[in-house]
Amino acid sequence: AQSVTQPDIHITVSEGASLELRCNYSYGATPYLFWYVQSPGQGLQLLLKYFSGDTLVQGIKGFEAEFKRSQSSFNLRKPSVHWSDAAEYFCAVGNNDMRFGAGTRLTVKP
Amino acid sequence: GAGVSQSPSNKVTEKGKDVELRCDPISGHTALYWYRQSLGQGLEFLIYFQGNSAPDKSGLPSDRFSAERTGGSVSTLTIQRTQQEDSAVYLCASSFSGASPWNEQFFGPGTRLTVL
């Protein structure tokens, strides 16, 4: 069965610091991989996605993610966090049968 | 074009009552998903419709929950005999089908359900 694990429930970083949010998955084949962001009071917005090809993908708002097949991971990164990045981040994997992780809440300290 | 729409945006009901939540997917999207997001929780998969295939109901938490999708478009999530633990935001998403790069899910704004 497929599953998605986001090991960190809550992360706090200082503004300007780098960020890495972890995502591990279990899936029978190479899945499609996504990161979504949910800002307070907002709907989910797609940050980036990976289907094939270059394992480092660029997304909106300065985010990137790297697919590592050997580690079954798709970690999200940003070199310098802004206060407006405070939100809930969800990793999703799958094909037609998408599954989401439980989310990581990001707090940004001034 | 129009995105995924959900109605009502807010629903307050009394314990034991039945509620219906509606989702209008993006035109042309054959896949439709329902999720539940409880306070402090992540996205919990409930049910998935793909075209005319039998839906994947593996995420429904109890037999009080059911969903229909009429004509391959609009979907209704029904919760019977609501309980206070059903209070949550119910999200609907749709996507193109098939093993293609167009598998991105587009989310509606959600219905916030409060069971008193």
Side-chain angles (χ1 to χ4, degrees):
Chain A
Q2 61 187 44
S3 65
V4 183
T5 302
Q6 293 181 247
D8 305 303
I9 297 173
H10 187 201
I11 284 182
T12 299
V13 299
S14 298
E15 190 168 16
S18 63
L19 171 70
E20 182 169 25
L21 302 182
R22 295 183 290 164
C23 173
N24 294 95
Y25 67 89
S26 173
Y27 197 77
T30 299
Y32 299 138
L33 299 158
F34 305 81
W35 275 98
Y36 284 83
V37 61
Q38 186 179 37
S39 298
Q42 304 291 315
L44 277 87
Q45 180 183 21
L46 181 68
L47 281 176
L48 49 78
K49 55 191 175 185
Y50 171 80
F51 300 133
S52 64
D54 192 346
T55 56
L56 184 64
V57 294
Q58 303 297 320
I60 62 172
K61 305 184 179 184
F63 284 92
E64 65 178 28
E66 186 172 12
F67 169 57
K68 293 185 177 180
R69 185 189 305 273
S70 61
Q71 299 177 17
S72 296
S73 69
F74 188 57
N75 294 349
L76 181 71
R77 300 194 295 249
K78 187 170 184 178
S80 178
V81 170
H82 187 263
W83 64 267
S84 61
D85 293 325
E88 186 94 20
Y89 291 80
F90 294 95
C91 178
V93 302
N95 195 316
N96 285 328
D97 48 350
M98 294 275 290
R99 294 294 188 268
F100 283 75
T104 297
R105 181 171 300 279
L106 174 66
T107 298
V108 181
K109 295 189 301 184
Chain B
V4 178
S5 61
Q6 292 185 246
S7 61
S9 56
N10 278 285
K11 176 71 176 178
V12 179
T13 189
E14 294 179 349
K15 178 181 174 180
K17 300 281 190 182
D18 298 351
V19 295
E20 286 189 350
L21 312 180
R22 177 187 168 105
C23 172
D24 284 86
I26 293 173
S27 178
H29 282 189
T30 60
L32 187 147
Y33 304 78
W34 282 99
Y35 297 91
R36 178 168 67 177
Q37 187 174 31
S38 304
L39 187 63
Q41 303 292 316
L43 278 167
E44 177 187 6
F45 166 77
L46 296 177
I47 188 169
Y48 157 60
F49 294 90
Q50 174 57 62
N52 295 321
S53 302
D56 176 358
K57 303 180 182 180
S58 60
L60 294 178
S62 77
D63 58 8
R64 297 187 294 105
F65 287 72
S66 62
E68 290 185 341
R69 189 177 185 194
T70 55
S73 181
V74 172
S75 177
T76 301
L77 177 69
T78 301
I79 308 173
Q80 295 178 311
R81 305 180 303 281
T82 53
Q83 304 294 315
Q84 289 183 331
E85 60 263 29
D86 298 335
S87 296
V89 175
Y90 289 82
L91 295 170
C92 175
S94 70
S95 70
F96 285 110
S97 69
S100 81
W102 309 113
N103 212 24
E104 174 185 346
Q105 292 189 30
F106 294 85
F107 283 81
T111 293
R112 180 174 298 279
L113 174 66
T114 303
V115 182
L116 301 177

